[in-house]
Amino acid sequence: MQLIEHVQYLAFNPGVTPRGGGLPGLPVLKNVMGSLNLYGIIAAVGALVISALTWAWGSHSGGHQAEANGKKGTAVAAGCALLLGAANGIVAFASNLGTQVH
């Protein structure tokens, strides 16, 4: 019975935790992810500007479809910027929440 209890314990707690420095290239990967996040934020700013201009042009010219697309684009770009800016906090929150599961 002792072997079965040990296997059951390992099934519930394998003892694996995230640890930095285990593999080479971690600083490079962090740098790449930070750069991708920056490019994403720059793209969101560009999309926000274009969508706001489309919204204004559609509103001014009476183009209801352009106005609606500009509104949707503005909301999507703002949401993307919010998620990109909060990415570290969201991942940290989910990771901390995941460590509490037993």
Side-chain angles (χ1 to χ4, degrees):
M1 286 304 266
Q2 195 175 28
L3 177 64
I4 293 173
E5 291 173 2
H6 185 66
V7 169
Q8 286 176 342
Y9 176 75
L10 285 177
F12 289 111
N13 185 10
V16 178
T17 57
R19 183 177 47 153
L23 292 174
L26 188 60
V28 174
L29 185 60
K30 287 180 180 181
N31 193 12
V32 168
M33 290 298 110
S35 297
L36 287 175
N37 195 356
L38 176 64
Y39 282 130
I41 290 172
I42 291 170
V45 169
L48 185 66
V49 169
I50 291 170
S51 296
L53 288 173
T54 304
W55 183 0
W57 175 72
S59 178
H60 179 70
S61 66
H64 299 294
Q65 186 70 28
E67 181 181 1
N69 287 338
K71 286 179 185 179
K72 284 188 280 187
T74 302
V76 168
C80 286
L82 177 71
L83 288 174
L84 286 167
N88 285 335
I90 292 170
V91 171
F93 171 76
S95 177
N96 288 334
L97 193 63
T99 61
Q100 297 175 5
V101 175
H102 293 288

